[in-house]
Amino acid sequence: MTHLKSLGVNAVQLCPVTEFPGDISAGYNPVSAYAPEWKYGTPDEFKTMINTLHRNGIAVLLDIVWNHFSPTDNFLWNYDGTQTWFDTPDVTTPWGSQAAFGRSAVADHFANSSQYWFSEFHLDGYRMDGTAFMTPGAHSSSGWQLMQRLNNEKNSRWADKITIAEELPSDPIFSTPTSLGGAGFDAQYHMLWRDNVRGAVFDAAFGDPSMNNVRAALLG
């Protein structure tokens, strides 16, 4: 913690921390939008970590994955003997099935999880994983409305928080206010900047070691 503070770090962004199958994962195969992964520690220990970062002037953002559930250990699949949480046939993503956002109980499940993390863990914001995969096929409208709901409720109840869209490639509509028809995120990933920095770093590492080009990419 002292090292982060000495570097001037003012925010950390965590990979998803909700439960996933097995004990080792980056967290992008979630089976819950609520329960912290037990292997990382208890919920109280997670709260302690966040509070410690806050005391050192460091904000904490959480990566949230709403666009799919893990293809294995998905306990919501046929949860009560009926397919309540997913369409039939289900809407698929490259990583697993997507919940039926158009059903009010399902939309509430995700939207309320946002309030849960804000109120119980005092997080400072979210980075939403794969926003482009929130709106495929049958869920094009309901997925969009769910993202708008996330940001409208954040603005109403947690005006000091931030939400960031992982929209690749960048699309201004995702960071356009909902009042103007956008998704309402405060910011989104800048794919061109990332690609330019990556290209300059790779060039510097493999045969064209120009740190001036890396600097220019970072400042660009």
Side-chain angles (χ1 to χ4, degrees), residues 39-51:
K39 198 70 173 180
Y40 293 158
T42 67
D44 283 343
E45 287 173 329
F46 187 39
K47 292 177 183 179
T48 298
M49 185 193 76
I50 294 169
N51 290 338

Side-chain angles (χ1 to χ4, degrees), residues 92-104:
T92 61
T93 74
W95 313 283
S97 296
Q98 185 176 93
F101 297 142
R103 299 175 186 171
S104 59

Side-chain angles (χ1 to χ4, degrees), residues 190-204 210 212-220:
H190 189 347
M191 189 176 185
L192 181 60
W193 181 86
R194 182 205 66 176
D195 290 347
N196 288 340
V197 171
R198 178 183 289 175
V201 170
F202 283 0
D203 287 345
S210 172
N212 282 331
N213 288 344
V214 175
R215 179 180 182 276
L218 287 168
L219 295 177

Side-chain angles (χ1 to χ4, degrees), residues 4-181:
L4 292 178
K5 186 175 181 180
S6 69
L7 290 173
V9 171
N10 60 11
V12 295
Q13 178 182 295
L14 306 177
C15 284
V17 300
T18 54
E19 282 281 0
F20 50 76
D23 294 338
I24 301 175
S25 174
Y28 294 95
N29 54 335
V31 296
S32 171
Y34 290 82
E37 167 60 33
W38 76 274
K39 198 70 173 180
Y40 293 158
T42 67
D44 283 343
E45 287 173 329
F46 187 39
K47 292 177 183 179
T48 298
M49 185 193 76
I50 294 169
N51 290 338
T52 302
L53 285 161
H54 283 168
R55 285 197 299 271
N56 284 274
I58 300 173
V60 185
L61 281 68
L62 180 64
D63 200 336
I64 55 175
V65 183
W66 289 7
N67 61 66
H68 71 280
F69 280 98
S70 171
T72 61
D73 293 11
N74 183 352
F75 70 93
L76 292 175
W77 190 266
N78 284 322
Y79 180 70
D80 60 354
T82 61
Q83 196 55 290
T84 302
W85 289 86
F86 301 89
D87 291 329
T88 304
D90 60 311
V91 173
T92 61
T93 74
W95 313 283
S97 296
Q98 185 176 93
F101 297 142
R103 299 175 186 171
S104 59
V106 175
D108 288 347
H109 173 83
F110 288 101
N112 293 341
S113 74
S114 166
Q115 303 302 321
Y116 166 74
W117 291 103
F118 277 152
S119 62
E120 293 294 323
F121 293 86
H122 302 165
L123 290 165
D124 300 287
Y126 302 124
R127 176 266 201 189
M128 176 171 275
D129 175 71
T131 48
F133 291 92
M134 288 290 291
T135 57
H139 297 161
S140 59
S141 176
S142 57
W144 187 259
Q145 291 168 2
L146 182 56
M147 289 188 288
Q148 290 180 318
R149 178 177 173 179
L150 163 72
N151 290 310
N152 284 335
E153 291 182 352
K154 186 270 294 182
N155 290 338
S156 296
R157 297 188 60 187
W158 313 95
D160 60 334
K161 312 297 186 183
I162 186 172
T163 55
I164 303 168
E166 188 209 18
E167 179 61 22
L168 305 174
S170 306
D171 186 343
I173 195 64
F174 281 83
S175 48
T176 297
T178 59
S179 60
L180 299 177

